[in-house]
Amino acid sequence: MRAVVLVGGEGTRLRPLTFETPKPLLPVANQVFLDRQLGWLAAHGVDEVGLSLGYLPSAFIDHYPEGTFTDPAGRTVQLHYAQEPTPLGTAGAVRFAAEQLGVRERFVVCNGDVLTGLDLGALLAFHEARHAEATIHLAAVEEPSRFGVVPTDERGRVLAFVEKPAPGTEPTRWINAGTYVLEPSVLERIAPERPVSIEFDTFPGMLETGGALYARPSDAYWIDVGALAEYLQAHADLLAGRLGTPPAPGAREVSPGVWVQGPGPAPAGVAAPALVGERHQIDPSADVVGSVLGAGVQVGAHATVVDAVLHDRVTIGPDATVRASIVGAGAVVGARATVEAGSIVGPHVTVDAGTTLTGERRPPADSPAARA
Ligand code: GDD
Ligand code: MG
């Protein structure tokens, strides 16, 4: 089975982390997000994936130098790179990648920022049973206006596709969860060589012309990790075992709810739930809880790290506090500094000792934003 994964977006909602690393290559619970997604696809029988590249394409080629991905169970996915000459929108990108892949049969499309436990086989079976031309996975959310909202009839036939409606006007809580099963005929509905949106153009166009567009609701775990609050929530959910355990491949539960990668006992100073990467140095007087710490993270004496995500090689100084925030790879939070309330510290940034960031984003000095 073949799939196209859309990974060409700029990841603006996770800046400054995405200035140098495209969103799908950011870690989620210490595993590169796209590796998680490819593992999920491989577990459902997908063995060939076209990566639809736009933003920072060489980062993907560098991450998969062999052009393959192999999951911990030994399943291999052959990768193909489809780099758009100019941004083609979500549907244009699908058409371009599918052509590069030589797709002539039913295939799967995924947004590259969706973490889900969806049973892809059940979606394919539903598609087959309805003789659908396209089938959309639906998830129920609290704030549907931030998504594509998709009302259906009782058999799952799509009645409307409303991308990002005004808050309060949503016809249903069921939204486009960003995984589709498509027949190759859908590709003919997408004009070549110019930007076309699957959400604004292709799916609404199918409804206008009576195309067999279906959608299947599922209560499987689902989250779009593309914004700060959801990125943090995905970590909390993985720590809570909502997508199964271990939260990261190879992690060991060294005490209830405390997961550690690499050798060694439960680090003093860390309380459940938590995931701690290898080569950590955590002072026993620190207070780490509800957090994911990457490889080589150092936490100083009497520092507090709560509901936070620290990427690889982050240093938290003594008496510093990080709460409900993300700290990018190699960054330093100085002694007595506070990073809180949905802040993002960019990679390699130093937060000076004693300063406070509240809901603030700190880009690296050499990032496009800092130069502007
Ligand atoms: N190749 C390519 N080219 N990829 C793109 C482009 C493009 O021009 N534009 C966006 N993408 C990729 C992004 O990298 C991401 O993986 C995916 O397409 C979706 O883009 P987002 O920017 O994350 O969209 P969204 O989250 O606001 O909305 C989409 O996802 C929701 C579910 O999470 C829509 O599909 C909504 O309808 C849906 O509900
Ligand atoms: Mg998204």
Side-chain angles (χ1 to χ4, degrees):
M1 182 97 202
R2 295 200 269 192
V4 169
V5 182
L6 293 170
V7 292
E10 293 186 19
T12 51
R13 288 165 290 191
L14 284 177
R15 285 177 180 168
L17 301 171
T18 47
F19 282 132
E20 54 183 59
T21 304
K23 172 169 68 174
L25 295 183
L26 290 175
V28 167
N30 292 352
Q31 185 183 19
V32 165
F33 181 74
L34 186 55
D35 286 358
R36 277 185 192 270
Q37 204 175 20
L38 292 174
W40 171 74
L41 286 167
H44 289 92
V46 171
D47 54 6
E48 226 182 326
V49 165
L51 291 179
S52 169
L53 309 180
Y55 178 66
L56 301 180
S58 57
F60 293 90
I61 298 163
D62 292 347
H63 184 67
Y64 303 106
E66 311 292 328
T68 57
F69 166 79
T70 302
D71 77 359
R75 289 177 285 242
T76 293
V77 178
Q78 186 68 45
L79 302 174
H80 302 267
Y81 301 110
Q83 189 179 338
E84 296 154 44
T86 54
L88 291 171
T90 44
V94 169
R95 177 179 170 137
F96 184 78
E99 274 173 1
Q100 302 267 303
L101 211 55
V103 166
R104 280 180 195 80
E105 68 294 308
R106 184 175 298 166
F107 67 112
V108 172
V109 171
C110 305
N111 286 347
D113 57 3
V114 161
L115 180 64
T116 183
L118 170 70
D119 178 352
L120 190 56
L123 190 70
L124 285 157
F126 176 97
H127 176 90
E128 171 81 21
R130 299 294 188 282
H131 304 289
E133 187 180 358
T135 299
I136 303 169
H137 166 216
L138 301 182
V141 297
E142 294 303 324
E143 284 184 68
S145 64
R146 297 167 53 213
F147 300 96
V149 181
V150 187
T152 65
D153 72 11
E154 64 285 355
R155 285 191 65 247
R157 187 134 191 163
V158 172
L159 300 173
F161 191 107
V162 199
E163 183 68 13
K164 314 227 165 87
T169 68
E170 311 91 333
T172 168
R173 286 176 58 223
W174 290 97
I175 59 106
N176 167 26
T179 301
Y180 319 124
V181 179
L182 303 183
E183 293 300 314
S185 59
V186 173
L187 299 172
E188 292 157 31
R189 296 175 174 275
I190 303 167
E193 291 161 32
R194 65 175 176 83
V196 183
S197 160
I198 205 161
E199 297 88 352
F200 285 104
D201 305 316
T202 312
F203 289 149
M206 284 183 75
L207 295 176
E208 275 168 31
T209 58
L213 179 60
Y214 283 84
R216 180 179 182 273
S218 127
D219 56 11
Y221 178 80
W222 181 86
I223 199 163
D224 175 339
V225 300
L228 170 72
E230 287 74 14
Y231 183 84
L232 291 175
Q233 185 64 47
H235 284 78
D237 292 340
L238 284 162
L239 289 180
R242 293 189 62 198
L243 261 177
T245 53
R252 294 173 302 119
E253 193 172 23
V254 290
S255 64
V258 176
W259 296 85
V260 170
Q261 293 169 291
V270 176
L275 168 65
V276 179
E278 53 193 15
R279 299 186 311 281
H280 56 266
Q281 289 179 41
I282 300 168
D283 192 279
S285 67
D287 179 11
V288 176
V289 63
S291 298
V292 172
L293 278 53
V297 165
Q298 301 185 20
V299 181
H302 304 288
T304 302
V305 178
V306 179
D307 299 338
V309 177
L310 312 182
H311 289 174
D312 292 350
R313 299 176 308 282
V314 162
T315 301
I316 307 297
D319 298 301
T321 299
V322 182
R323 274 181 208 277
S325 296
I326 310 170
V327 182
V332 176
V333 176
R336 301 177 316 284
T338 298
V339 174
E340 62 182 7
S343 296
I344 305 182
V345 177
H348 314 299
V349 168
T350 296
V351 178
D352 291 337
T355 45
T356 295
L357 303 186
T358 302
E360 223 182 286
R361 301 198 180 201
R362 243 333 135 82
D366 57 354
S367 75
R371 280 198 300 268

